[in-house]
Amino acid sequence: MVNLQHNDLSHVVAADRAHVWHHLSQHKQYETADPRVFVEGRGMRLWDTNGREYLDAVSGGVWTVNVGYGRESIADAVRDQLVRLNYYAGAAGNVPAAQFAKRLIQKMPGMSRVYYSNSGSEANEKAYKMVRQIAARRHGGRKWKILYRDRDYHGTTIGTLATSGQDQRAAQYGPYPDGFVRVPHCLEYRAQWDVENYGQRAADAIEEVILREGPDTVGAIVLEPITAGGGVIVPPEGYWPRVQEICRKYDILLHIDEVVCGLGRTGRWFGYQHYGIQPDIVTMAKGLASGYAAISCTVTTEAVFEMFKDDASDPMGYFRDISTFGGCTAGPVAALENMRIIEDEGLLENTVAMGERVLGNLRALQERHAVIGDVRGKGLFCGAELVADRATKEPLDERCVQAVVADCLAQGVIIGATNRSLPGFNNTLCLSPALIATAPDIDRITDAIDRALTRVMA
């Protein structure tokens, strides 16, 4: 237990209320209540300005702190690097950026090049620019369209919001640029087709969109390996092999967005590695350095990279992009130490074991609570969809869903739920505890959900 009671931090709370514009927050509430301000973290525990302890089951709120709070070795590595060399723009190299790129590629057979930036949104934006430039240089501007999937999310910039399969995320921020085309989601629990091989049918729907748009107009498709904020959707069996087949058939680049799933969240280094597919572009952020420094990567095959260096005489031929802080230098150092911790502490194996415990516990709760319609996930990335009626699958009112989240918070356990994402379908509880989670941690999380459901649904 961290003792903060001897420090009066009311002035910090006052400064927060007066000057900080929080993410994802309606600030009217802070006219009558204090904003929550965290002071310290250790492992999976957080303490706020009142000294209250919380068990964090969402890894920093957005699936980020994969190796837990208070890792002195990461902080020390960053500090030492900043003293040695804090910054030079990515037009030149630096030692940690080169070292981490090499280590990362060793985990990604078939990939070869790492382009650094700062956030998942930015990493995806870079990929979109690559696709557009390839279209201009290689296809006479034709293969410029980028497909994205209903319920998936790829970032908060205008460009990435144009590929938001979550309508509430994108609402009121348009108009958006042209050339981004939606394909159907693959959640079998919310089936769109009455077929036996649902995974293949959901993938076939992508081909139908390609044929409608014209294969010579489509340059890439961006997909999360497992949909995150859209409801923790694990694609059905048969989906991914068929997606790969379709991309190769029509010469479409396969871009996998690993911003949430990457760096161990699903029990493998990357979510796509569960499915035996070979992407052309992979983007990542969040758990890449577990939140100890800002870093994201856009990783490509050598074939993609070569398309930007074939004609040295063309002044417009290379990838004319820059990210001011991308790869400079704290991010790669933190990512190197983060990767070492995952390896040395066997956190991939722990993620598999604890993920099975989460899913087992949630399925046991499903037996006791009719409000749990579906349980799904992979590794320490799990969801429970709440319904008002199991027979009809009518979604539970999101006010009740948020009441469950609030009840868990009152118990000192922080869980998540789909939030301002899908009109009428913000009804999935989301769990993403750090990869260091223990069996007692998992049991405490699911016990809190059990009690919350009992109270809220009474």
Side-chain angles (χ1 to χ4, degrees):
M1 174 67 180
V2 175
N3 182 10
L4 301 171
Q5 296 293 351
H6 63 283
N7 292 324
D8 180 5
L9 297 176
S10 59
H11 63 289
V12 173
V13 176
D16 183 285
R17 182 191 291 108
H19 304 297
V20 176
W21 195 337
H22 288 281
H23 303 181
L24 297 174
S25 297
Q26 168 52 262
H27 278 250
K28 191 70 176 178
Q29 62 184 312
Y30 301 135
E31 294 179 4
T32 56
D34 287 342
R36 182 171 292 102
V37 177
F38 289 118
V39 175
E40 191 164 349
R42 287 285 181 270
M44 285 178 55
R45 272 74 181 165
L46 288 164
W47 289 267
D48 66 15
T49 50
N50 296 315
R52 187 172 181 200
E53 179 181 319
Y54 300 85
L55 179 64
D56 181 5
V58 287
S59 295
V62 287
W63 308 299
T64 298
V65 190
N66 282 11
V67 300
Y69 299 100
R71 291 284 189 170
E72 293 186 17
S73 65
I74 302 181
D76 288 344
V78 171
R79 184 265 177 202
D80 291 347
Q81 176 59 49
L82 293 182
V83 171
R84 187 175 299 115
L85 175 66
N86 66 308
Y87 179 82
Y88 194 86
N94 63 73
V95 172
Q99 290 176 331
F100 181 66
K102 180 179 179 180
R103 289 288 305 282
L104 181 61
I105 291 302
Q106 289 171 348
K107 310 294 185 190
M108 305 178 72
M111 311 304 288
S112 70
R113 296 285 175 166
V114 178
Y115 192 92
Y116 286 109
S117 51
N118 307 289
S119 71
S121 299
E122 194 177 358
N124 286 328
E125 192 93 20
K126 306 304 184 189
Y128 299 172
K129 290 176 70 175
M130 291 174 184
V131 172
R132 290 287 173 85
Q133 192 170 348
I134 290 169
R137 287 178 51 75
R138 296 281 175 154
H139 304 292
R142 292 188 308 277
K143 291 179 76 68
W144 67 295
K145 294 177 184 175
I146 296 173
L147 307 183
Y148 66 97
R149 186 171 57 196
D150 187 32
R151 285 182 172 254
D152 279 10
Y153 175 76
H154 302 292
T156 189
T157 64
I158 294 296
T160 53
L161 277 177
T163 55
S164 177
Q166 301 175 8
D167 293 337
Q168 286 182 320
R169 294 266 182 226
Q172 302 177 4
Y173 298 120
Y176 291 105
D178 293 335
F180 298 100
V181 182
R182 188 180 300 205
V183 302
H185 68 74
C186 61
L187 176 57
E188 190 168 6
Y189 182 71
R190 298 286 174 187
Q192 301 164 88
W193 306 278
D194 183 13
V195 295
E196 186 172 328
N197 189 344
Y198 194 84
Q200 181 172 327
R201 178 63 187 90
D204 286 345
I206 295 173
E207 184 175 35
E208 292 168 5
V209 173
I210 292 168
L211 293 174
R212 184 192 73 205
E213 295 293 323
D216 64 339
T217 71
V218 180
I221 182 169
V222 56
L223 301 167
E224 293 183 87
I226 298 170
T227 299
V232 190
I233 301 168
V234 181
E237 185 177 353
Y239 182 80
W240 276 115
R242 179 66 178 133
V243 169
Q244 180 90 79
E245 179 184 336
I246 291 166
C247 288
R248 288 176 175 166
K249 179 179 179 180
Y250 296 108
D251 188 24
I252 291 171
L253 296 174
L254 178 55
H255 168 188
I256 304 295
D257 178 349
E258 293 272 356
V259 170
V260 172
C261 293
L263 272 295
R265 172 59 53 195
T266 67
R268 295 198 179 182
W269 286 108
F270 295 95
Y272 76 85
Q273 293 172 342
H274 290 279
Y275 304 107
I277 58 174
Q278 179 57 61
D280 301 289
I281 302 172
V282 180
T283 47
M284 65 199 73
K286 293 189 186 296
L288 196 55
S290 287
Y292 286 84
I295 179 174
S296 66
C297 297
T298 305
V299 182
T300 75
T301 60
E302 195 69 9
V304 170
F305 175 75
E306 285 290 331
M307 285 190 268
F308 293 89
K309 62 184 284 283
D310 58 331
D311 184 1
S313 66
D314 182 359
M316 299 291 284
Y318 62 93
F319 189 46
R320 301 179 319 282
D321 179 89
I322 189 167
S323 172
T324 298
F325 299 108
C328 308
T329 55
V333 159
L336 275 166
E337 182 61 12
N338 184 69
M339 183 175 282
R340 182 199 66 76
I341 289 169
I342 293 173
E343 290 179 319
D344 289 358
E345 296 185 8
L347 296 186
L348 295 184
E349 295 81 1
N350 187 66
T351 297
V352 172
M354 292 301 102
E356 290 174 354
R357 191 177 189 96
V358 174
L359 289 173
N361 287 5
L362 288 175
R363 290 183 182 121
L365 292 185
Q366 189 176 21
E367 293 295 316
R368 297 202 296 274
H369 297 280
V371 70
I372 299 179
D374 193 34
V375 169
R376 49 190 183 249
K378 193 175 287 291
L380 285 169
F381 184 30
C382 303
E385 182 165 350
L386 305 186
V387 293
D389 185 296
R390 274 193 185 174
T392 65
K393 300 182 182 178
E394 178 190 348
L396 187 66
D397 188 286
E398 65 180 86
R399 290 171 294 183
C400 292
V401 179
Q402 290 300 322
V404 173
V405 174
D407 190 288
C408 288
L409 185 66
Q411 297 178 59
V413 176
I414 305 172
I415 70 168
T418 44
N419 175 40
R420 298 287 72 73
S421 300
L422 308 160
F425 290 95
N426 293 310
N427 63 316
T428 300
L429 302 180
C430 301
L431 301 177
S432 54
L435 313 190
I436 61 172
T438 64
D441 293 330
I442 299 304
D443 292 347
R444 184 181 168 197
I445 293 164
T446 52
D447 286 348
I449 294 172
D450 187 11
R451 289 189 290 268
L453 289 174
T454 300
R455 281 191 282 264
V456 172
M457 302 308 298

